[in-house]
Amino acid sequence: MSFGANSDFGKGAQFVFGGTAACIASAATHPVDLIKVRMQLQGELNTTAPSNGAVPAKKVSSFGAAANIARQEGSRGLYKGLTASLFRQACYSSTRFGLYAPIKDAMSSPSETVFPTYKKFAAGMTAGGLGAFVGCPGDVVMVRMQADGRLPVEQRRNYRHVFDGLRRIVSEEGAATLWRGSRPTVLRAMLTTSAQLGTYDEVKIQLLASGYFKDGMPAHFCSSMTAGFLATVVSSPVDVVKTRIMNMKDGGMKYTSAFDCFVKTVKLEGPFGLYKGFWPNFFRLGPHTIVMLMAYEQIQKTATYVKRTYFSTNVSQ
């Protein structure tokens, strides 16, 4: 079965299946995502010594960052921004999963016996970009909540939850701020979703065609692991730019645009500055992709079984 297609449900069900699976994955990998954000902000135009209460601005490893967070903010600090993360996925991933199959259908041609791989990537890019625009407000709140602990105490925003963050951003900075960094966010989502859904779709088909795999968890795991690694490689530079722009405060604007952030990062930190937090990003996006896509398959399989078993009058054998 082609990814995103299910004859037992209408296309609207994919919004629910995809959003639910993404929320499960985000809850499971949130601490790693928080560490990634903190590492991406290391050394960011750092010209002054930290004030009292700020996290030291020295470079640390992933494990060092995790230890610092746990020591200074407690174990609950690793889950800062979780409500915003779930809200973001409910908007972002519901949209991209729900639109992927309809976009593929719109791009298909009656003369094609096999749907081309490049069209799968194009469908993923389109669905991801639209989903990112819808989910951008949640993304802004999530990044700020995750980054709060590294700021001096007097500069922290202290959003209580995602809806408090949304309300305060609108009242204090204007509604347009909810889409700050939307360009790198959309670009990152286009690259990530193309790599995740397009790669998963294609690798799964090839594995099943090889005859060594059946449509089950081993095939789903191998396909999603490949998709997760590729998604991390192509999206990391844009993710660093996105994180830094979203974390800016009014009155302390460090960058004038996404391109300005890109140039300053490379100039001050070198090309590898764009890959800061790569390993925590991979250890977050890799497992996130695996959990999300495998959960999606299992949710769809379970929903199909329940419908056919308990709600179908004519169960086809």
Side-chain angles (χ1 to χ4, degrees):
M1 179 186 293
S2 178
F3 181 76
N6 189 314
S7 59
D8 288 274
F9 296 92
K11 290 185 173 63
Q14 304 307 315
F15 287 86
V16 178
F17 296 160
T20 302
C23 286
I24 293 171
S26 286
T29 60
H30 187 79
V32 186
D33 191 39
L34 184 142
I35 294 168
K36 176 208 72 173
V37 168
R38 297 286 179 89
M39 292 188 70
Q40 288 176 336
L41 294 172
Q42 281 184 164
E44 180 191 21
L45 298 184
N46 184 39
T47 58
T48 59
S51 302
N52 183 38
V55 175
K58 64 181 181 181
K59 294 182 179 180
V60 295
S61 66
S62 302
F63 294 107
N68 283 342
I69 294 168
R71 182 175 61 253
Q72 297 170 6
E73 304 169 50
S75 58
R76 293 182 62 183
L78 292 168
Y79 284 90
K80 281 188 174 179
L82 178 60
T83 59
S85 178
L86 296 177
F87 178 83
R88 170 182 176 266
Q89 291 296 345
C91 299
Y92 164 53
S93 286
S94 294
T95 302
R96 61 180 181 147
F97 271 87
L99 293 180
Y100 181 65
I103 292 172
K104 284 205 306 180
D105 290 343
M107 297 175 67
S108 64
S109 170
S111 60
E112 295 172 342
T113 56
V114 178
F115 193 73
T117 301
Y118 77 91
K119 287 189 177 182
K120 294 175 185 175
F121 285 102
M125 292 183 73
T126 305
L130 293 171
F133 186 80
V134 173
C136 194
D139 212 353
V140 172
V141 178
M142 181 188 72
V143 166
R144 291 185 173 195
M145 292 180 74
Q146 290 177 330
D148 228 21
R150 68 182 291 275
L151 296 173
V153 174
E154 67 275 8
Q155 294 182 18
R156 293 178 184 175
R157 300 178 175 96
N158 295 318
Y159 299 151
R160 297 193 305 274
H161 47 73
V162 61
F163 298 109
D164 179 54
L166 293 170
R167 178 189 62 79
R168 285 182 51 191
I169 289 173
V170 172
S171 63
E172 296 170 9
E173 304 173 58
T177 305
L178 293 173
W179 278 270
R180 177 177 290 171
S182 59
R183 290 183 181 180
T185 299
V186 169
L187 177 57
R188 175 190 178 277
M190 292 174 70
L191 295 172
T192 302
T193 305
S194 176
Q196 284 180 326
L197 303 191
T199 300
Y200 181 84
D201 198 354
E202 181 62 24
V203 172
K204 178 183 171 184
I205 288 175
Q206 296 302 324
L207 290 177
L208 298 181
S210 71
Y212 294 104
F213 290 86
K214 295 181 179 180
D215 191 2
M217 295 187 73
H220 300 162
F221 177 81
C222 292
S223 302
S224 57
M225 183 171 62
T226 304
F229 181 77
L230 183 59
T232 308
V233 171
V234 301
S235 69
S236 283
V238 185
D239 196 35
V240 170
V241 172
K242 173 189 79 76
T243 296
R244 294 185 171 191
I245 288 179
M246 285 183 169
N247 191 51
M248 288 192 304
K249 279 191 170 185
D250 285 341
M253 306 293 279
K254 300 175 181 178
Y255 314 109
T256 58
S257 64
F259 182 72
D260 181 54
C261 179
F262 177 90
V263 171
K264 287 179 177 176
T265 299
V266 173
K267 182 178 180 180
L268 296 176
E269 304 169 51
F272 287 106
L274 295 170
Y275 279 90
K276 278 190 172 180
F278 175 83
W279 287 113
N281 192 18
F282 172 68
F283 289 131
R284 177 260 172 188
L285 190 56
H288 181 276
T289 302
I290 293 170
V291 173
M292 178 181 67
L293 293 173
M294 292 187 71
Y296 170 84
E297 295 278 12
Q298 293 306 307
I299 290 169
Q300 184 168 236
K301 181 179 179 180
T302 302
T304 300
Y305 172 79
V306 170
K307 182 179 180 181
R308 291 181 178 180
T309 303
Y310 300 104
F311 298 99
S312 178
T313 54
N314 295 310
V315 180
S316 58
Q317 302 297 326

